[in-house]
Amino acid sequence: MDFYDAIADEYDAMSNLGRRQKTIEAFLKRVTGQWPIRSALDAACGTGAYTIRLAQMGVEAVGADLSAGMLEEAQKAAAAGGVEPVWVQCPMQRLASQVERTFDLILCLGNSIVHILEPVELRETLGGFAALLRPGGVLLLHLLNYPLLLQKKERIVAISRAEQKEYIRFYDFLPEGVQFNLLKIEWEDGQARHTLSSTLLFPYAPQEMVRELQGCGFGKIRLYADTQFRPFVPGESQG
């Protein structure tokens, strides 16, 4: 995936990983306190923040991502964190054929599922997740509230800065989907250079995702507003 390979070495700085670490840890403690988790698959793991923290908590953790660049950064971070999770370079659609075990927990966070643009591939992905879960296992799937997002059409997602680099994340609302853009501005000697990277997302609605999950054999499905598991409110929750 060229978009993520291009930004892999700057992703953690852009997304303020240092500030997010406490949120990640609190979320994973909440998860492992609510369910008995001994093994976990982090699908579309990116630079591996959740995979690494799970491994540090004693969970048998596997991180999978399509981007070789992101996995390279994940491996560096894992080594610095003193753990050795298993890393798999694989698209979400093919995980069930590439990973030969089942898990207590599958994570698909960071709004990653919307990179699956075709309905048949979405079903293949979710069916694969079902096959990789042990009986009684838990899938935690993050999806933005796209009906609300499309209603508001707010283009700016976030603006951040790391040293002499600024990152502006924004949307274009297109007939074929939502295009996610990253504008990077680098300042040097008062001069600015910029690069723009973009990737297309499919804006699945929460209830649409519920139907697809049910069709793939998932039974107890609950919608939450955030990582604190507060109730989802369709007209208010960001997802």
Side-chain angles (χ1 to χ4, degrees):
M1 186 177 293
D2 292 341
F3 177 84
Y4 289 102
D5 283 338
I7 66 172
D9 61 345
E10 298 176 285
Y11 183 82
D12 288 345
M14 176 196 73
S15 61
N16 291 317
L17 177 61
R19 296 181 185 177
R20 293 190 295 116
Q21 288 286 15
K22 288 185 179 180
T23 301
I24 291 171
E25 183 164 354
F27 167 67
L28 292 176
K29 284 184 177 179
R30 193 172 293 114
V31 170
T32 54
Q34 186 166 345
W35 296 286
I37 306 298
R38 295 182 179 178
S39 59
L41 170 65
D42 187 4
C45 67
T47 56
Y50 290 87
T51 316
I52 292 166
R53 188 67 195 107
L54 282 165
Q56 291 171 334
M57 294 167 68
V59 175
E60 296 177 25
V62 175
D65 203 280
L66 177 58
S67 168
M70 296 292 260
L71 287 177
E72 183 179 348
E73 295 302 316
Q75 290 171 336
K76 293 177 186 176
V83 291
E84 296 181 350
V86 174
W87 303 106
V88 179
Q89 185 180 356
C90 180
M92 288 183 281
Q93 305 94 302
R94 307 286 180 264
L95 275 172
S97 64
Q98 297 294 316
V99 179
E100 298 180 354
R101 60 166 299 175
T102 57
F103 299 88
D104 300 319
L105 171 69
I106 295 178
L107 299 176
C108 185
L109 305 178
N111 197 44
S112 298
I113 197 69
V114 296
H115 290 86
I116 306 297
L117 303 179
E118 299 296 333
V120 65
E121 292 197 340
L122 176 63
R123 295 184 192 109
E124 188 176 4
T125 301
L126 299 180
F129 288 167
L132 290 166
L133 271 180
R134 68 160 180 80
V138 177
L139 167 66
L140 295 178
L141 177 68
H142 175 220
L143 176 69
L144 292 180
N145 186 359
Y146 278 99
L148 182 61
L149 190 151
L150 292 172
Q151 176 187 334
K152 291 186 173 182
K153 283 190 165 57
E154 295 177 354
R155 298 191 66 202
I156 301 298
V157 178
I159 301 173
S160 58
R161 181 170 185 146
E163 298 180 347
Q164 299 304 307
K165 298 177 183 178
E166 295 176 281
Y167 304 94
I168 303 173
R169 287 171 275 176
F170 66 98
Y171 293 129
D172 286 320
F173 297 97
L174 308 175
E176 62 269 29
V178 176
Q179 183 168 278
F180 176 69
N181 307 287
L182 171 62
L183 176 64
K184 180 176 70 174
I185 303 171
E186 300 179 78
W187 290 91
E188 185 175 354
D189 298 327
Q191 300 294 315
R193 295 181 300 157
H194 76 276
T195 55
L196 178 66
S197 303
S198 302
T199 188
L200 187 65
L201 312 174
F202 191 88
Y204 298 105
Q207 288 304 325
E208 181 181 7
M209 189 61 65
V210 168
R211 289 193 297 271
E212 294 292 345
L213 287 164
Q214 290 171 335
C216 291
F218 288 91
K220 297 179 181 179
I221 302 173
R222 298 179 181 177
L223 299 179
Y224 297 105
D226 51 32
T227 58
Q228 298 179 49
F229 298 121
R230 288 181 287 208
F232 177 78
V233 180
E236 299 177 9
S237 301
Q238 300 298 314

